[in-house]
Amino acid sequence: MVSKDFKKISLGIAGINKLLGGGIPENSVVLVSGGAGCGKTTFLCQYINEGLKRGETCLFVSLEESKEQIKQDAIQFGWDFDKYEKKDKLYLKQYNPFEVSSNIGLNSFERYIEYIKAKRVVIDPITLFAEFITNEGVDDKRGEYAIRRGIFNVISILKKLNVTAVLSGEIIEGSKYKLSKYGEEEFVVDGVIVLTTMDGVGKRTLCIKKMRSIKHDFTPKNFKITDKGIVVETE
Ligand SMILES: Nc1ncnc2c1ncn2[C@@H]1O[C@H](COP(=O)(O)OP(=O)(O)O)[C@@H](O)[C@H]1O
Ligand SMILES: [Mg+2]
């Protein structure tokens, strides 16, 4: 049903919720982009922790860090992922992007999300997951095309399912794409949040570049990573 009012999903980060009037649209797919160490994995953990606190079933797909590392990252902020994993509320999946034999297909990924009845999904990062799913290298034009198609297909599936997803993405310095690695991600998602670190001055900023259906502030906001996670300074 189309209506002027729609449900928003809390990110668990008070300052960004405020900027968005409550959170991201339910059933949307949002990209959190930035370079290494910008806080992408922390953002995703905080989003998952918020879902767990609300009793929602969550899926965390990790391509770079092991399950144990993710749990270790989270507990530093006081978020006990292990407890929720044991209660079957959190599903942590780690895939090795370079191990082709362990490849899963898109169909089984879709069926898995339906089977566990996930409400929140995060993929860290979407680019490596697409490379993993499509089983192609990036070193030629055909490979890059396959990965762009993979990114498109993964995001299309997430949009079709009854989930609200936050994906991390890399920004490559000097690349022609300003908000993501392949360009595909930033256009097909419903929202883009860019994180930066300012070298030398120890400052972190966050900027909402796009958010479907929401009127929002475009100016970069400073944020800190504290022992309670990401804290945005909104005046
Ligand atoms: N428990 C913590 N307390 C404060 N800062 C932290 C903590 N954990 C990580 N950080 C900061 O966050 C950075 C890494 O964040 P992360 O979310 O892993 O970034 P990304 O996924 O973008 O590479 C670290 O380099 C560190 O500066
Ligand atoms: Mg990371």
Side-chain angles (χ1 to χ4, degrees):
M1 199 180 70
V2 182
S3 96
K4 198 165 186 309
D5 298 314
F6 56 91
K7 195 172 165 198
K8 288 180 184 161
I9 301 296
S10 165
L11 290 164
I13 304 169
I16 316 178
N17 281 345
K18 191 174 157 200
L19 293 171
L20 294 169
I24 56 176
E26 186 176 33
N27 295 334
S28 61
V29 180
V30 170
L31 182 73
V32 175
S33 273
C38 280
K40 301 181 297 296
T41 302
T42 309
F43 191 115
L44 267 47
C45 287
Q46 196 155 346
Y47 173 68
I48 287 295
N49 186 60
E50 177 70 4
L52 295 171
K53 281 199 310 197
R54 290 169 180 263
E56 299 168 9
T57 302
C58 301
L59 170 63
F60 196 123
V61 177
S62 175
L63 281 294
E64 281 170 346
E65 294 188 39
S66 70
K67 278 172 63 162
E68 291 312 312
Q69 271 174 306
I70 295 288
K71 288 195 259 188
Q72 182 66 32
D73 289 352
I75 202 78
Q76 301 309 312
F77 301 110
W79 309 327
D80 191 351
F81 282 8
D82 199 47
K83 178 178 87 184
Y84 289 102
E85 193 184 28
K86 290 196 172 99
K87 287 201 273 191
D88 285 343
K89 290 305 281 182
L90 172 63
Y91 293 81
L92 270 165
K93 282 272 173 199
Q94 185 211 344
Y95 299 115
N96 177 349
F98 302 105
E99 199 181 307
V100 173
S101 59
S102 67
N103 205 302
I104 56 153
L106 261 183
N107 284 338
S108 56
F109 179 61
E110 182 176 357
R111 282 197 307 272
Y112 181 72
I113 291 177
E114 286 177 325
Y115 175 71
I116 64 170
K117 298 190 171 61
K119 292 294 292 175
R120 292 187 187 223
V121 175
V122 303
I123 304 178
D124 189 23
I126 178 61
T127 39
L128 277 187
F129 187 61
E131 289 174 22
F132 173 67
I133 285 257
T134 48
N135 201 357
E136 295 269 358
V138 268
D139 39 9
D140 60 26
K141 262 217 145 61
R142 201 177 66 87
E144 180 165 337
Y145 174 74
I147 288 158
R148 292 176 67 116
R149 202 177 54 209
I151 290 169
F152 181 85
N153 288 340
V154 172
I155 293 172
S156 302
I157 279 176
L158 292 170
K159 283 190 184 180
K160 205 170 76 180
L161 294 167
N162 188 22
V163 300
T164 309
V166 179
L167 320 173
S168 74
E170 300 106 321
I171 296 178
I172 310 294
E173 232 170 288
S175 154
K176 61 179 168 172
Y177 304 117
K178 296 281 176 264
L179 307 180
S180 64
K181 187 171 175 187
Y182 292 104
E184 195 67 36
E185 313 89 292
E186 65 198 58
F187 290 106
V188 293
V189 291
D190 301 301
V192 180
I193 299 174
V194 173
L195 310 182
T196 66
T197 46
M198 290 223 220
D199 292 338
V201 291
K203 226 167 90 173
R204 297 180 184 278
T205 69
L206 172 156
C207 185
I208 302 165
K209 293 280 183 187
K210 141 174 173 178
M211 196 61 67
R212 172 174 60 81
S213 310
I214 297 180
K215 188 175 158 203
H216 60 85
D217 190 342
F218 285 93
T219 52
K221 305 286 173 201
N222 295 335
F223 75 95
K224 289 194 168 71
I225 301 182
T226 72
D227 56 5
K228 291 190 176 67
I230 292 175
V231 178
V232 184
E233 297 165 12
T234 46
E235 284 93 47

